[in-house]
């Protein structure tokens, strides 16, 4: 329990691992030039704030609110986005 | 002089285009409505200037076919109208900066300006103008607000000297501008956003998807059948039938010309489906059987498109579509295919890989019956009982699923993932929905009705010269043994290449059992595309893709028809 509390202070997960309703800031995207470019074009780049809208089921896509704009991201891509969850 | 409308997907370029040129193009509330080339004209500097509606793109480094089209079109532009979504300024400005680096004179239409107010977005227009160095006109394209100012601003289009940047520098520049001009105030969740969230959550989203699709199906059927029952049938039976009977009398009641024009009719009663004359079946099939379905389907689709629901449906079906090697966005071309396969297959351009486009186009042309064919299925198969209609749809759905699984394994290539922007829900505006409906109905009347009449004419001529009998004899083993259909239905399968609705109509006089009619409908739906679909497949997939796709079609149709025949007959 104690460990969990400490973790909460600075919790880093992938966007795919976020729980519905959680918010956080994008830390980095692990991917090639193409993926980075495509995500960037939709406004997802380091520093941007995300809120997860739905929880994906069966590794389906998840929907994120990015500064008032809804973006659906496939599971594999979301797995490559590192997010620092708000404490 | 060429004026290009350029901007992110779903910012309203097509609406601005329609407003500027008076040319009605289809617009919807989802990214990727425009995938091809549309142009119209306006008077500008006392000369006729072409306005081109460029497919939406987030960046000039293209990631899909439609975006490539957009980039290539830029080469020929003299003036750019950059349509920008005012509620999403930061992301839109990235493309704006890329455009400015091209040094083509530009004007910015800051569209969806009305929505900024209830979204709590405040933009300092003067500062934005100063920062970018080009004229900026706030617009609300759906109501026409700002359109006149936009045209007036065209002569002041400017190409300020922006140096080329890399993407990091560009985002920095965008960030700088945003800090200077935009200020966002906090606001509460609106009901639209609540529904928006609910429609992508697994449970509530599934319920909503089911309700929407069931609602469309039942609604379309109810409206169509009402139109047929209360308007079209009385019109033909009470007003048109006496005219035809009189005409038949005048023409002596028989002969080749009589049969072509009036068809084979009784002396006091006309069976408009079976008589097969130009003025009987030739008009009854397209106007009384098919048009009501075209009208109600496109009314429903238009409302659905403008509401913004389709991208949410894409999210919901993504998991299923992945089993086919596709992603959820493939549901949009598929939905369009239920109206007509041609726009459905064209819409597959929004998908990223050639592999996906091949799978979607093939699945649409095999297992998605167009509205014309569906109308005939409801009319003819439905007359034998609703369960047979359900059987036809069930078989086609099963084919779609099984073939999807097979194609995913068989077709090699890149397997992309879903990455789309989901537009806010918007209440569809009635004038826009009606305008769009009229464009599509006009398309049906201008393009489909002449082919229907041509097909009826061809059928009559081929019959009278005994050509169908020769064809029927040649392929009768396949048709009679494998499919269990009478020899005469070969003619219908052949005419399916021209129009599938006419072809199904040709099965009507053959006195088939319900089971045979089900086999006939399924085989017609799957077997060989109609000529319009054939041409669009050739254009979108290339010659070898078309051959492969058609081969799969013929094989799948014969196999499914054969199995159905074994079970039903």
């Amino acid at each position: 329990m104690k460990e969990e509390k400490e973790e909460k202070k600075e919790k880093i997960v992938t966007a795919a691992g976020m729980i519905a309703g959680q918010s956080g800031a994008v830390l980095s995207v692990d991917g090639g030039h193409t993926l980075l470019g495509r995500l960037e074009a939709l406004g997802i780049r380091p520093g941007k704030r995300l809120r997860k809208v739905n929880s994906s089921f069966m590794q389906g896509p998840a929907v994120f609110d990015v500064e008032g704009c809804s973006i659906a991201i496939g599971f594999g891509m979301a797995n490559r986005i590192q997010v620092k969850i708000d404490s | 002089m060429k004026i290009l409308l350029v901007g992110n997907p779903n910012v309203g370029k097509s609406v601005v285009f329609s407003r500027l040129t008076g040319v009605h193009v289809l617009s919807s509330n989802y990214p990727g409505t425009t995938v091809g080339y549309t142009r119209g004209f306006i008077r500008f500097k006392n000369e006729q200037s072409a306005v081109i509606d460029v497919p939406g793109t987030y960046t000039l480094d293209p990631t899909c076919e439609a975006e490539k089209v957009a980039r290539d079109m830029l080469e020929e532009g003299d003036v750019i109208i950059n349509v920008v979504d005012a509620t999403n300024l930061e992301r839109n400005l990235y493309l704006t900066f890329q455009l400015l680096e091209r040094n083509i004179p530009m004007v910015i239409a800051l569209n969806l300006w009305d929505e900024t107010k209830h979204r709590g977005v405040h933009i300092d227009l003067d500062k934005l103008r100063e920062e970018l160095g080009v004229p900026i006109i706030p617009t609300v394209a759906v109501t026409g607000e700002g359109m006149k100012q936009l045209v007036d601003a065209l002569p002041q289009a400017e190409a300020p000297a922006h140096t080329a940047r890399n993407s990091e520098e560009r985002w920095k520049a965008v960030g700088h501008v945003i800090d200077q001009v935009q200020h966002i105030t906090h606001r509460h969740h609106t009901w639209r956003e609540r529904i928006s969230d609910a429609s992508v959550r697994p449970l509530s989203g599934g319920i909503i998807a089911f309700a929407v699709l069931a609602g469309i199906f039942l609604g379309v059927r109810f409206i169509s059948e009402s139109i047929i029952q209360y308007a079209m049938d009385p019109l033909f039976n009470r007003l048109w039938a006496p005219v035809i009977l009189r005409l038949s009398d005048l023409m002596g009641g028989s002969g080749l010309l009589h049969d072509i024009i009036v068809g084979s009719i009784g002396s006091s009663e006309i069976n408009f489906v079976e008589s097969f004359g130009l003025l009987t079946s030739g008009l009854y099939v397209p106007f009384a059987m098919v048009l009501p379905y075209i009208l109600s389907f496109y009314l429903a689709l238009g409302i659905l498109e403008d509401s913004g629901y389709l991208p949410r449906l894409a999210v919901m079906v993504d998991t299923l579509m992945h089993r086919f090697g596709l992603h959820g966005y493939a549901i949009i071309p598929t939905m369009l295919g239920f109206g007509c396969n041609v726009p459905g297959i064209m819409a597959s351009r929004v998908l990223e890989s050639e592999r996906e486009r091949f799978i979607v186009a093939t699945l649409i042309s095999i297992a998605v019956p167009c509205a014309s064919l569906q109308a005939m299925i409801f009319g003819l198969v439905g007359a034998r009982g609703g369960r047979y209609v359900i059987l036809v749809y069930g078989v086609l759905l099963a084919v779609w699923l099984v073939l999807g699984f097979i194609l995913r394994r068989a077709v090699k290539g890149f397997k992309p993932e879903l990455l789309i922007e989901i537009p806010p829900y918007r209440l569809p505006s009635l004038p826009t929905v009606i305008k769009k409906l009229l464009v599509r109905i006009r398309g049906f009347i201008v393009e489909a009705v002449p082919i229907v009449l041509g097909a009826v004419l061809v059928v009559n001529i081929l019959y009278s010269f005994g050509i169908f009998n020769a064809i029927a004899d040649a392929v009768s083993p396949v048709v009679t043994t494998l499919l269990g259909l009478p020899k005469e239905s070969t003619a219908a399968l052949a005419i399916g290449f021209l129009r599938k609705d006419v072809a199904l109509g040709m099965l009507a006089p053959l006195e088939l059992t319900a089971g045979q009619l089900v086999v006939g409908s399924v085989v017609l739906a799957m077997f060989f595309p109609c000529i319009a679909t054939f041409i669009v497949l050739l254009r979108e997939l290339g010659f070898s893709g078309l051959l492969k796709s058609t081969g799969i079609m013929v094989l799948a149709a014969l196999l499914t028809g054969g199995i159905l025949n074994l079970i039903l007959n």
Side-chain angles (χ1 to χ4, degrees):
Chain A
M1 286 303 277
K2 207 180 167 194
E3 263 179 25
E4 225 179 324
K5 256 183 192 168
E6 268 172 349
E7 250 182 14
K8 258 187 185 166
K9 272 185 188 160
E10 187 153 296
K11 202 175 161 192
I12 296 167
V13 295
T14 67
M18 287 168 79
I19 302 162
Q22 257 182 345
S23 322
V26 176
L27 273 181
S28 64
V29 179
D30 321 322
H33 183 72
T34 324
L35 177 64
L36 278 170
R38 292 188 60 202
L39 287 171
E40 245 184 33
L42 286 162
I44 298 163
R45 55 206 158 85
K48 283 283 145 181
R49 299 197 45 77
L50 298 177
R51 180 179 69 87
K52 193 163 185 175
V53 172
N54 69 349
S55 54
S56 51
F57 68 118
M58 287 178 70
Q59 309 214 329
V63 178
F64 296 88
D65 184 347
V66 187
E67 297 189 342
C69 187
S70 294
I71 314 274
I73 307 176
F75 187 83
M77 283 187 193
N79 230 345
R80 290 159 165 229
I81 304 170
Q82 302 291 329
V83 181
K84 189 182 154 203
I85 302 295
D86 296 346
S87 49
Chain B
M1 189 80 173
K2 271 189 186 152
I3 302 166
L4 303 182
L5 281 166
V6 190
N8 279 192
N10 211 38
V11 295
K13 291 175 296 299
S14 296
V15 188
V16 172
F17 176 83
S18 296
R19 285 277 170 192
L20 288 179
T21 61
V23 176
H24 296 311
V25 287
L26 299 182
S27 55
S28 307
N29 183 17
Y30 62 80
T33 309
T34 309
V35 291
Y37 182 96
T38 5
R39 76 179 186 174
F41 294 92
I42 56 167
R43 286 201 77 74
F44 171 53
K45 285 184 179 168
N46 282 324
E47 62 169 307
Q48 194 85 323
S49 302
V51 181
I52 296 165
D53 185 14
V54 177
T57 180
Y58 294 110
T59 147
L60 296 182
D61 313 315
T63 56
C64 74
E65 198 58 35
E67 291 186 350
K68 241 177 248 158
V69 173
R71 188 199 51 189
D72 296 344
M73 280 182 186
L74 271 190
E75 307 294 330
E76 39 187 280
D78 299 305
V79 179
I80 292 174
I81 297 177
N82 176 208
V83 184
V84 165
D85 175 355
T87 64
N88 239 318
L89 193 58
E90 180 170 6
R91 206 194 58 211
N92 278 251
L93 281 184
Y94 184 80
L95 178 68
T96 304
F97 270 93
Q98 279 188 316
L99 291 170
L100 286 169
E101 289 163 27
R102 291 289 180 113
N103 285 321
I104 305 170
M106 189 159 101
V107 176
I108 290 176
L110 203 54
N111 201 27
L112 301 165
W113 184 243
D114 56 333
E115 284 193 22
T116 56
K117 285 161 211 152
H118 39 94
R119 286 232 198 175
V121 177
H122 306 274
I123 297 168
D124 185 334
L125 287 176
D126 293 327
K127 250 191 199 149
L128 185 60
R129 203 168 287 141
E130 204 176 290
E131 289 286 339
L132 298 180
V134 295
I136 288 164
I137 316 296
T139 58
V140 185
V142 281
T143 63
E145 200 182 312
M147 286 301 126
K148 193 185 170 301
Q149 291 88 326
L150 184 62
V151 175
D152 292 344
L154 280 177
Q156 280 105 52
E158 277 189 71
H162 277 252
T163 47
R165 299 177 172 91
N166 65 28
S167 81
E168 202 175 313
E169 291 165 346
R170 218 173 276 136
W171 279 117
K172 230 182 200 162
V174 170
H176 171 78
V177 173
I178 290 294
D179 286 345
Q180 300 288 313
V181 306
Q182 183 178 266
H183 158 71
I184 296 178
T185 46
H186 180 73
R187 74 209 158 85
H188 290 284
H189 244 46
T190 63
W191 61 270
R192 274 179 216 194
E193 283 161 327
R194 276 182 229 276
I195 302 176
S196 174
D197 290 0
S199 43
V200 290
R201 289 199 177 114
L203 182 64
S204 52
I207 295 169
I208 291 173
F210 181 77
V212 167
L213 295 177
I216 290 176
F217 188 80
L218 296 176
V220 165
R221 193 160 149 65
F222 175 75
I223 297 172
S224 315
E225 292 300 326
S226 304
I227 297 174
I228 293 172
Q229 194 181 342
Y230 297 109
M232 293 307 185
D233 273 349
L235 191 73
F236 272 85
N237 290 330
R238 290 196 202 134
L239 292 176
W240 193 233
V243 178
I244 294 297
L245 287 172
R246 188 74 190 277
L247 185 68
S248 170
D249 266 354
L250 286 173
M251 296 180 77
S254 62
L256 179 61
L257 194 64
H258 174 275
D259 284 354
I260 289 177
I261 291 179
V262 180
S264 46
I265 58 170
S267 54
S268 61
E269 215 184 326
I270 301 175
N271 185 326
F272 277 109
V273 183
E274 298 180 5
S275 47
F276 249 79
L278 283 176
L279 294 184
T280 48
S281 301
L283 295 180
Y284 185 80
V285 168
F287 287 107
M289 295 183 83
V290 174
L291 186 62
Y293 274 93
I294 297 276
L295 190 135
S296 46
F297 175 80
Y298 280 123
L299 178 67
L301 185 70
I303 293 171
L304 197 64
E305 283 177 330
D306 288 6
S307 70
Y309 181 67
L310 286 176
R312 291 167 174 88
L313 182 62
V315 171
M316 291 309 298
V317 298
D318 187 74
T319 311
L320 169 71
M321 299 297 251
H322 264 285
R323 306 286 176 266
F324 300 175
L326 299 172
H327 66 53
Y329 220 56
I331 197 70
I332 293 183
T334 306
M335 292 286 287
L336 294 176
F338 277 109
C340 170
N341 282 188
V342 171
I345 291 167
M346 280 180 63
S348 68
R349 283 189 202 169
V350 293
L351 302 172
E352 293 116 278
S353 73
E354 213 166 295
R355 171 180 189 268
E356 282 178 288
R357 285 198 296 276
F358 177 81
I359 296 178
V360 172
T362 306
L363 286 180
I364 289 175
S365 41
I366 294 180
V368 176
C370 65
S372 308
L373 184 60
Q374 291 185 72
M376 297 300 284
I377 291 173
F378 277 120
L380 294 181
V381 184
R384 307 292 182 88
R387 62 183 188 281
Y388 294 110
V389 177
I390 295 171
L391 186 59
V392 171
Y393 277 84
V395 170
L396 289 176
L397 177 66
V399 168
W400 187 70
L401 292 169
V402 171
L403 204 60
F405 277 113
I406 297 173
L407 285 178
R408 177 177 99 128
R409 297 217 153 53
V411 188
K412 299 231 159 7
F414 161 68
K415 292 175 189 144
E417 276 197 87
L418 187 74
L419 179 63
I420 49 166
E421 182 187 356
I422 297 179
Y425 273 131
R426 297 194 170 104
L427 269 183
S429 95
L430 191 63
T432 319
V433 168
I434 288 176
K435 234 181 251 166
K436 187 149 85 166
L437 182 61
L438 290 178
V439 171
R440 284 168 159 165
I441 287 181
R442 193 173 161 269
F444 172 76
I445 292 174
V446 173
E447 285 156 30
V449 174
I451 301 179
V452 170
L453 292 172
V456 171
L457 186 68
V458 168
V459 169
N460 277 302
I461 291 173
L462 292 184
Y463 262 126
S464 59
F465 286 105
I467 294 173
F468 274 143
N469 287 334
I471 302 175
D473 284 338
V475 294
S476 68
V478 177
V479 176
T480 52
T481 318
L482 184 66
L483 302 178
L485 296 173
K487 209 174 79 172
E488 293 76 27
S489 50
T490 311
L493 292 180
I495 284 303
F497 184 57
L498 286 179
R499 287 288 305 177
K500 296 204 171 183
D501 43 9
V502 177
L504 197 52
M506 287 171 73
L507 294 179
L510 299 182
E511 290 171 353
L512 303 178
T513 65
Q516 284 177 318
L517 200 54
V518 168
V519 175
S521 307
V522 168
V523 170
L524 256 181
M526 295 173 62
F527 194 61
F528 225 74
C530 73
I531 186 155
T533 311
F534 195 77
I535 291 168
V536 85
L537 279 175
L538 175 65
R539 208 172 56 199
E540 299 295 315
L541 302 180
F543 188 67
S544 71
L546 170 75
L547 279 186
K548 271 185 234 159
S549 189
T550 316
I552 296 170
M553 258 171 247
V554 174
L555 212 66
L558 293 179
L559 198 66
T560 313
I563 294 172
L564 262 186
N565 175 34
L566 282 181
I567 298 171
L568 292 174
N569 299 320

